[in-house]
Structure formats: structure tokens, C-alpha cells
Amino acid sequence: MVRLYLKYFAINIKSQMQYKTAFFLHLFGRIMLSFATVAGVWFMFLRFNRVEGFTLNQVLLCTAVTMMSYSITEVFARGFDIFPRLLGNGEFDRYLVRPRGVIYQVIATHMEFGRLGVFIQAVIVFCYAIPNSGIVWSPDKILTLFLMIICGAAVFSGLYIIFASFSFFTVEGLEFMNILTHGGKEFGRYPYAIYGEGILKFLTFIIPLALFQYYPLLYLIERESSPLYILTPLLSMFFLVPCYVFWKIGLRHYKSTGS
Amino acid sequence: MIRLSNINKTFRVAKRKSGFGNAVKALFSREYEKIRALQDVSFTINDGEMVGYIGPNGAGKSTTIKIMCGILTPDSGECDINGSNPWKQRLRHVRDIGVVFGQRSQLWWDVPVIDSFDLIRDIYKIDENLYRRNLDEMIALLDLSEILKTPTRSLSLGQRMRCEIAASLLHSPKILFLDEPTIGLDAVSKIAVRGFIKKINAEHKTTVILTTHDMQDIEALTERILLIGKGRILLDGSLTELLKRSSANKILVVDYNGNVPSLNEHMSLVEQKDGQISVTFDPVELSVSNAIAHISAQVEVLDVSVSGISAEQMVAALYEEYRI
């Protein structure tokens, strides 16, 4: 399965390298766009030197985690993002007549490396924020940061899967999902707690974006010392269970209506 | 073996009325219309058979194919394909089938065809020796050696269709579903594709189920046809039998010099052009030689052709007969 994934990976790269100019323009465009996001945070701190008690470098760490998680999702779970198209052109029917898992094929068939622009921007921000944040990078802290990024990508992928599951039923009005995906990414520039208690609760218990971002950040900057905070990102993985259930319901609907 | 018994399928389609007011109303409540796509569809197809599945647009052909491929679940009915149920045992079932959707591609658009083939090898976990053997066979029979290194996007439709069919057969499926495989192809490609399908069926005993609107496909390939209309199987039988039944009448076309010849009481006029006349008659009442003699007695005959009705005309007549 891993070997096959690497095959898919190679064929995706080969496909996209057919249009090198378009690829690099796309990449460059994404870097510039995400630069605007980072600059926004920067300008905010020119006026206020703390936001809810977080310093600029702490917030930048948060920005980079969210950006990196989101860009991993954009690159590797792209198939769910364009899912209505796969249903429309019959590509999804092709997956159903092949002896491989359907989710696996959606993920493997569509990778979009142009979206690595945001990833590169996130790396740049990390390069600045990691040494300047004043955090002593012991192994537990490094593990925490790693879990934040990986689990973040999982939560965003879950949101993409929910979007795809809805598109089994309708293609109208799906834009509301953007509030959670793009909205989640944009608001995720800052620790989710600054938007108030209600929103933090929502982002903890319903759509667990705060579990990979805000709570482990508290551990990183030593506002919380309990090692349980290292594991909060892992809790967010439970979100994938309802996502999978949604997907199954959508798939069953599709197989009974074919549209 | 493929066995379908009493397959039913109903779709719910939202009714849409024109006008802004109705569009707003539709936001809150929708009226649905039930469309019975398949009603009690039953048939059996034996291993190695080649079957033409015909019917007008919207008759239920694609729905049946989708059910047999495991893409759609029927409302009721049984389906057994080589011991598997297509929608309950998807993974096991799809290993044994190959599917070509004439209007959709399964090849990667921007990379050479051979890369798509290699990926398919890994998707199906095809044994390397078998893969090489199948690939070599396809290259020889479908004349692919020149085009394997070309990206799909640069292929002509005919070349692409040859590659699509090859891609569906790399894993040696026992059953091949072809949904309009010759649509939009030029004459040369059509003949090549037909010849290949025939060969695969003869040599590998691959069961072939073919939907098409091109009756020449049916004439060239299949002995058995299944006619579906409005979701019901209307006819299941041999093409030759049907042609015999409905082609009792002969058509005689004569090119001549001279005045317009008169017809006798057994002949009726089909078409009269400048220097050419087409008549039809029942050979039981009037033999072919007598018909020709009757005309050649009046005019100087330049050329003669006699034919029964074509499969095309026969199917049109069937559609008419069943009002579909």
C-alpha cells in the first residue's frame, strides 16, 4: 500500500511537472498570499505588543503550526477538496470498480504540489519563531510541536472529508464549509482562545481545532506544565471517527442514487 | 456466469419548475418525482458469451451496467456474478471485471500511457509475468507500440480508445463491460476496436457485455441481444433470428437507363431518384429473379443490388413496435 502510494506520488509529480511555469507561478502566488497572512499578524503587534498575553513570537509559532497543518491537508487531501468534480466527471465511479479502498484512491490520485507555497511560508516563519520564542526546545517540546502539526493536518482533513460527504447529497450551498476550513485556517493565525470562551468551547468539543493549537501551545510556552497537554493534539484525532461515519452515510446514499 | 433476477431500481428526481418564484419555493420544499429506472430486470449470461445490450437513451442500460459493476445498489432483486454480489463484495468482485466507459478516461491525462498502465499493474497487483504477456498481446493486437510513450492528452480519440480498452484488460478480467466503446470513432478505429474485442472474446473466453447505439457494432460482434426500454427487458434473443423474422421483405435497388419502370402488384416503391429506383417486396410472393426480370424487361439495367433490412432499420422497427 505504501509502495503503491509512492507510485501515485511519482505519477502526480510527473503530471504536474508537465506545466513547470504554471507550477512555479502557483507556488509563488501561494507564498505571497500566505505572506500577507503573516504580515497581518506582524502589523497587529506594531500597535499592541501583546494579544491576550501572548507575545509576537508565541503567536507566530501558532500561525506557522496552523499554516503548515493546513498546507499538508491542501497538498495531500486535495481529492476531497475537489470532490464534487470527481463525482461530476465520473472519476469516482472508476474508483468504485477498482480493488482498492475508496478513500485511499481519493487521497492518492490527487496531490497538488503547487499548494506547498503555504508550507514553505510556514517553514520560513518557524525558522524565525523557533529560535526567538524563548522556548527551551527539550525533546518533549519538540514532540509536542510535531504532534500539533500532524494532528492539525488530520483535523483539517476531517473537515475536507465532511465537505466531500455533503457533496454526495448536494452541490448547492456547500460554501458554508469554508467557514470551518478556510475560516479555521485564517482564525488559526492567533491562538483560538482570543475569540472568546464560546468559540473556544466550540473549537474544543465540536470541531477540535483548538486541541491541536491552543492547548499544546500553552505547554510549549510553559503556561501549563502538566504533560497531559502534550497529548491534547492526539485527542483531536477522535474527530476523524464522526467524519468517517459521515463519509460512509454519504457513500451509501451515492450508491443508491448514483448522482 | 452473470445472473440477475428481478432487479428493481427507482430514482427520486427533484421536480424543477421555471421562474424565480418557484426557485425560491424549491429552497424550502421540493417535490419529487419517482422514476422507475429498472423494473424486474432478469437475465443470465454464460461464461464466454458476447451480448449486445441495446435500447434508446434513458432506457436503463447504464443503470444496469452500474449495478453489475457494483457502483449502484438496486432497491430489490438478486445479482450473482461469478459467485459474488457486486455491491456487497465489491473488492472481490471488481478484480474479475474490466470496465470501459466510452466517454470517460481512466488514463492519466498528462503522462505517457505506459505510466498509467504501470500504475494499474500495481493497483491490481498483477503478476509481473502475466502483465508482460498481456501488455505484449495488447501492443500487438491494438498496434500500441507507437503510442505507449505518448501522453494521453496528445492521442487521437481512436488511439485513446484503444488504450482505454487495453487498460481495462491488463488484469485479465473474466468479464468486460463496454459502455459505448465506439462512440465518436472514425471508421478505421471502429473496425480495429471491433476486431480486437472479437479476438479477446474468442481467445480468452472473456464474457463481453456491450452497450451501443451503433448497430454495426452489434452486427459485427454479438449473436445475442438484450433489448431494454423504459426499464424493462423487452427482448432477449439471437440477432440472426430477429433479422430473419423482420427482414422477410427484400429491398431491390436498380440503376437504369430509360423511362421510369412500372411496378407489378407485389412490389411497392421505396424511393425513386434520377435513374435509380428502390422497391420492396415479399420474396414469398415474388422471387428475386422475377422481380429483376420484371424491371429489366422495361429498361436497360446498369446495376442491381438486393438486400434485407439492416440491423439499424430492424432496431428502429423494434423501438417503434414497443413504443419506446
Side-chain angles (χ1 to χ4, degrees):
Chain A
M1 207 151 111
V2 175
R3 220 184 64 112
L4 179 62
Y5 186 81
L6 294 176
K7 279 261 180 181
Y8 271 110
F9 193 89
I11 205 166
N12 267 297
I13 296 243
K14 204 168 170 181
S15 282
Q16 284 162 46
M17 284 305 132
Q18 295 293 307
Y19 308 96
K20 285 202 184 67
T21 320
F23 173 78
F24 285 109
L25 281 176
H26 188 181
L27 198 68
F28 181 71
R30 291 276 150 191
I31 293 177
M32 292 315 288
L33 254 176
S34 52
F35 178 73
T37 306
V38 179
V41 176
W42 195 284
F43 288 133
M44 180 74 98
F45 275 88
L46 288 181
R47 299 221 148 221
F48 314 97
N49 59 18
R50 277 179 181 251
V51 172
E52 291 265 318
F54 294 99
T55 67
L56 171 64
N57 289 328
Q58 290 167 345
V59 169
L60 281 180
L61 209 54
C62 201
T63 312
V65 165
T66 310
M67 272 169 43
M68 189 169 273
S69 296
Y70 193 75
S71 71
I72 291 172
T73 305
E74 273 194 313
V75 175
F76 295 103
R78 174 82 177 142
F80 294 110
D81 199 20
I82 57 166
F83 198 70
R85 202 165 85 203
L86 305 188
L87 290 179
N89 67 16
E91 194 178 320
F92 188 70
D93 288 349
R94 177 57 62 185
Y95 300 163
L96 289 172
V97 299
R98 284 191 165 153
R100 294 284 176 170
V102 184
I103 290 184
Y104 177 80
Q105 291 183 77
V106 176
I107 292 174
T109 312
H110 294 277
M111 305 173 195
E112 182 147 332
F113 299 105
R115 307 249 163 176
L116 279 175
V118 183
F119 189 90
I120 294 169
Q121 184 69 46
V123 171
I124 295 170
V125 178
F126 270 134
C127 287
Y128 173 81
I130 287 179
N132 292 306
S133 58
I135 296 169
V136 182
W137 291 97
S138 50
D140 56 326
K141 297 272 170 71
I142 295 171
L143 174 71
T144 309
L145 189 64
F146 179 75
L147 286 178
M148 288 167 83
I149 294 165
I150 297 303
C151 297
V155 174
F156 281 124
S157 300
L159 289 172
Y160 270 27
I161 292 174
I162 292 178
F163 167 80
S165 309
F166 275 122
S167 55
F168 281 123
F169 295 91
T170 176
V171 287
E172 291 165 46
L174 286 177
E175 291 80 8
F176 82 91
M177 280 300 294
N178 290 346
I179 300 170
L180 298 174
T181 52
H182 292 277
K185 173 195 63 171
E186 288 304 319
F187 287 121
R189 285 186 286 183
Y190 299 97
Y192 287 116
I194 71 165
Y195 304 106
E197 187 132 345
I199 289 190
L200 182 64
K201 274 198 177 127
F202 178 76
L203 295 178
T204 304
F205 297 107
I206 312 291
I207 311 287
L209 291 166
L211 285 183
F212 75 82
Q213 191 239 38
Y214 172 66
Y215 299 104
L217 182 73
L218 296 181
Y219 183 78
L220 283 185
I221 62 175
E222 291 177 1
R223 275 206 207 170
E224 297 287 346
S225 57
S226 160
L228 282 177
Y229 279 81
I230 304 174
L231 301 175
T232 48
L234 287 176
L235 282 179
S236 68
M237 301 288 259
F238 285 111
F239 179 59
L240 292 178
V241 175
C243 297
Y244 182 71
V245 173
F246 268 125
W247 169 263
K248 279 285 175 198
I249 294 171
L251 184 59
R252 187 192 297 162
H253 176 80
Y254 179 77
K255 291 183 89 170
S256 74
T257 61
S259 55
Chain B
M1 194 166 86
I2 300 174
R3 203 173 55 233
L4 270 71
S5 39
N6 304 100
I7 296 283
N8 283 288
K9 182 78 211 167
T10 307
F11 291 123
R12 222 168 52 131
V13 179
K15 272 192 201 167
R16 282 180 199 239
K17 293 177 198 147
S18 58
F20 178 74
N22 284 319
V24 174
K25 253 189 238 162
L27 281 178
F28 303 101
S29 75
R30 281 223 179 120
E31 283 178 53
Y32 289 96
E33 201 174 0
K34 279 199 170 170
I35 293 180
R36 303 197 66 179
L38 294 178
Q39 303 183 45
D40 282 327
V41 169
S42 307
F43 54 79
T44 305
I45 297 172
N46 291 316
D47 291 344
E49 256 193 292
M50 182 126 71
V51 177
Y53 195 36
I54 56 174
N57 291 324
K61 296 191 298 289
S62 296
T63 306
T64 320
I65 297 275
K66 280 184 173 178
I67 286 174
M68 289 192 282
C69 293
I71 295 171
L72 268 179
T73 319
D75 299 340
S76 65
E78 297 293 319
C79 177
D80 181 319
I81 296 182
N82 290 332
S84 317
N85 176 311
W87 57 92
K88 285 183 191 148
Q89 292 147 301
R90 185 181 80 83
L91 290 179
R92 198 172 99 191
H93 169 63
V94 295
R95 273 180 204 286
D96 283 347
I97 63 167
V99 193
V100 177
F101 294 112
Q103 318 220 46
R104 297 165 183 173
S105 181
Q106 62 167 314
L107 304 168
W108 287 70
W109 194 243
D110 291 315
V111 298
V113 175
I114 187 69
D115 290 357
S116 294
F117 284 7
D118 282 347
L119 188 69
I120 288 170
R121 175 193 60 199
D122 293 355
I123 290 172
Y124 284 92
K125 298 182 191 148
I126 307 168
D127 169 73
E128 189 59 39
N129 288 328
L130 178 67
Y131 176 70
R132 280 254 59 101
R133 208 166 58 227
N134 282 345
L135 189 60
D136 288 343
E137 186 185 3
M138 307 289 175
I139 290 172
L141 290 178
L142 286 165
D143 194 19
L144 300 180
S145 51
E146 298 290 311
I147 51 180
L148 276 183
K149 298 243 159 69
T150 315
T152 310
R153 64 163 191 271
S154 319
L155 298 179
S156 72
L157 190 57
Q159 291 172 327
R160 210 194 77 201
M161 187 49 66
R162 272 145 57 199
C163 294
E164 296 283 348
I165 295 177
S168 298
L169 287 167
L170 289 171
H171 61 292
S172 304
K174 296 195 187 93
I175 303 167
L176 178 63
F177 294 100
L178 297 163
D179 198 3
E180 307 199 20
T182 55
I183 195 162
L185 299 192
D186 62 48
V188 178
S189 307
K190 271 186 190 177
I191 290 170
V193 164
R194 284 178 199 143
F196 175 74
I197 295 169
K198 212 163 186 162
K199 224 169 203 155
I200 287 291
N201 171 259
E203 284 173 15
H204 297 279
K205 300 279 167 280
T206 309
T207 311
V208 178
I209 292 141
L210 170 85
T211 79
T212 183
H213 290 294
D214 186 337
M215 289 309 140
Q216 286 175 334
D217 287 348
I218 300 283
E219 273 182 303
L221 291 172
T222 67
E223 187 40 44
R224 179 176 167 197
I225 59 170
L226 280 167
L227 174 71
I228 186 170
K230 291 184 183 155
R232 289 176 187 278
I233 298 284
L234 300 171
L235 208 109
D236 179 354
S238 128
L239 182 67
T240 339
E241 283 294 309
L242 272 172
L243 275 171
K244 249 186 224 156
R245 197 189 82 184
S246 54
S247 70
N249 283 355
K250 296 281 179 194
I251 296 169
L252 172 68
V253 181
V254 183
D255 289 351
Y256 63 91
N257 254 338
N259 295 326
V260 180
S262 68
L263 307 179
N264 68 17
E265 71 274 16
H266 300 301
M267 297 169 157
S268 52
L269 184 71
V270 178
E271 202 182 17
Q272 160 70 48
K273 279 190 294 194
D274 218 23
Q276 189 188 63
I277 190 166
S278 314
V279 297
T280 171
F281 56 91
D282 187 338
V284 178
E285 294 167 353
L286 177 68
S287 73
V288 175
S289 60
N290 284 343
I292 296 173
H294 178 80
I295 290 178
S296 65
Q298 305 173 54
V299 293
E300 183 196 345
V301 173
L302 302 175
D303 195 7
V304 174
S305 71
V306 185
S307 57
I309 70 166
S310 66
E312 192 107 314
Q313 287 164 313
M314 182 200 73
V315 168
L318 283 176
Y319 287 4
E320 187 92 341
E321 190 183 330
Y322 289 106
R323 299 174 194 287
I324 53 175

